[in-house]
Amino acid sequence: MDVHRLRILRELADRGTVAATARAMDMTPSAVSQQLKVLAREAGVDLLEPDGRRVRLTDAGLALVVRAESVLGELDRARAEMDRYRSTPVGVVRLTLFPSAAELLLPGVLRRTRAAGVRVTASDADLPGTELPAMLADADIVVAHRDERAAPLGGPRIASRVLMREPIDLVVPLGHPLADAGRVDATQLADLDWISVRDGFPVDDVLRSLATLTGVQPRVVQRINDFHTIQAMVAADLGVALVARHAVTHPGVRGLEIVGVLAARILEVAIRPGAERRPAVAAVLRALDEEVAAVQP
């Protein structure tokens, strides 16, 4: 089977549609469809089936994607072996982080990798962990986050590990009655106006846990994902919020530790299996670990 066509099949599995696959591979949708038809003939079995106005992978197609991952992984490992003959881990590594992790870690990571001779192309994407396969279609390394109680991110085609645990604190305006408490119990948070993030993100999971403990559904008055904007709204006395500890920077707010509930998010780093064998990727992973060690108390 042609390797290029296997890559097209993997892209389709990652991106979900022929149109998105075509854009990613700089092809026309008709060319993508034609190449997948040829691959089906090579495989001797149907790889796609209609799904409304789109197509989806058949069971055979899904099985071939897993095999294609192995084949393409072996090719990547062959390239990595050639890289090992170089004295330094040079190359370009695509790194995607969610915005608050980028603010916390990216400057230090870029300084460290520049010294190692590795060029990092960074981007930010605030997407739930379910989007990891699509993000890894465009990145060598993805830093994602999940609630502390949620299952680890990943899957059969993703290798992930915990990068750090970051507590989530209650953020109140300086004049709030709780501002000088230092720490608060979950039961003190039953009757407040909340500024939260969108559904499906770790901070909102913690807010739902608080609702379970207090028996009171929180009054969410606004939902926005940017921690800087959230803190500006809290400082204006428009509500209280939950914010990851390292992101609490606004001079008009105070962060308070919450006791009595698991209030933290887990940062995980994800790659394709075997990608760490590329010296340049390994150098970026080391830089992430070193920066985490530097920012954690």
Side-chain angles (χ1 to χ4, degrees):
M1 298 179 191
D2 182 81
V3 170
H4 178 63
R5 287 191 276 273
L6 290 176
R7 289 192 187 279
I8 294 174
L9 184 69
R10 184 177 74 175
E11 288 288 333
L12 179 63
D14 287 338
R15 300 181 186 276
T17 68
V18 170
T21 301
R23 287 192 298 270
M25 302 201 72
D26 198 23
M27 300 170 65
T28 64
S30 60
V32 168
S33 297
Q34 183 60 34
Q35 289 298 305
L36 291 173
K37 289 177 182 177
V38 174
L39 181 61
R41 287 199 297 271
E42 291 175 343
V45 64
D46 289 336
L47 301 176
L48 304 175
E49 60 187 6
D51 182 20
R53 299 178 65 182
R54 299 181 176 183
V55 294
R56 63 184 178 194
L57 294 171
T58 62
D59 288 345
L62 291 169
L64 185 56
V65 168
V66 174
R67 295 297 183 186
E69 197 71 65
S70 297
V71 170
L72 298 173
E74 285 298 326
L75 290 174
D76 289 340
R77 283 189 281 276
R79 283 190 285 269
E81 287 180 6
M82 297 303 100
D83 286 344
R84 289 194 188 98
Y85 286 98
R86 301 177 183 180
S87 59
T88 57
V90 297
V92 178
V93 176
R94 299 167 300 167
L95 172 63
T96 295
L97 312 88
F98 60 95
S100 57
E103 182 179 11
L104 178 65
L105 302 174
L106 187 57
V109 167
L110 292 178
R111 285 195 299 270
R112 296 174 193 276
T113 52
R114 182 174 57 190
V118 178
R119 186 161 68 89
V120 174
T121 301
S123 62
D124 63 325
D126 201 359
L127 298 170
T130 53
E131 297 298 319
L132 266 180
M135 286 191 281
L136 282 170
D138 293 317
D140 300 298
I141 301 172
V142 173
V143 176
H145 55 143
R146 62 172 171 86
D147 182 73
E148 187 171 28
R149 293 149 302 181
L153 302 174
R157 299 170 54 224
I158 297 171
S160 65
R161 62 174 174 82
V162 173
L163 189 61
M164 66 179 285
R165 176 187 183 274
E166 183 176 18
I168 291 175
D169 290 338
L170 174 71
V171 173
V172 300
L174 294 182
H176 194 276
L178 296 173
D180 295 325
R183 58 200 314 224
V184 293
D185 190 90
T187 57
Q188 297 175 263
L189 309 179
D191 189 28
L192 299 170
D193 289 336
W194 290 91
I195 302 165
S196 190
V197 297
R198 296 194 298 270
D199 290 338
F201 289 85
V203 172
D204 203 53
D205 292 337
V206 174
L207 187 58
R208 285 196 292 270
S209 294
L210 291 175
T212 300
L213 283 174
T214 61
V216 177
Q217 189 66 23
R219 295 191 303 271
V220 178
V221 295
Q222 299 291 341
R223 288 190 182 274
I224 190 165
N225 268 29
D226 181 71
F227 280 152
H228 293 292
T229 304
I230 288 173
Q231 290 175 76
M233 295 168 73
V234 171
D237 202 19
L238 298 174
V240 301
L242 298 175
V243 176
R245 180 167 296 174
H246 290 98
V248 180
T249 57
H250 195 289
V253 305
R254 182 157 295 154
L256 308 173
E257 179 186 358
I258 305 170
V259 297
V261 65
L262 288 174
R265 66 179 180 182
I266 301 297
L267 278 63
E268 291 196 10
V269 59
I271 58 175
R272 291 193 184 277
E276 75 283 357
R277 299 181 187 180
R278 276 186 59 202
V281 171
V284 177
L285 293 173
R286 283 195 302 273
L288 281 166
D289 289 333
E290 291 167 358
E291 194 61 22
V292 165
V295 301
Q296 285 186 318

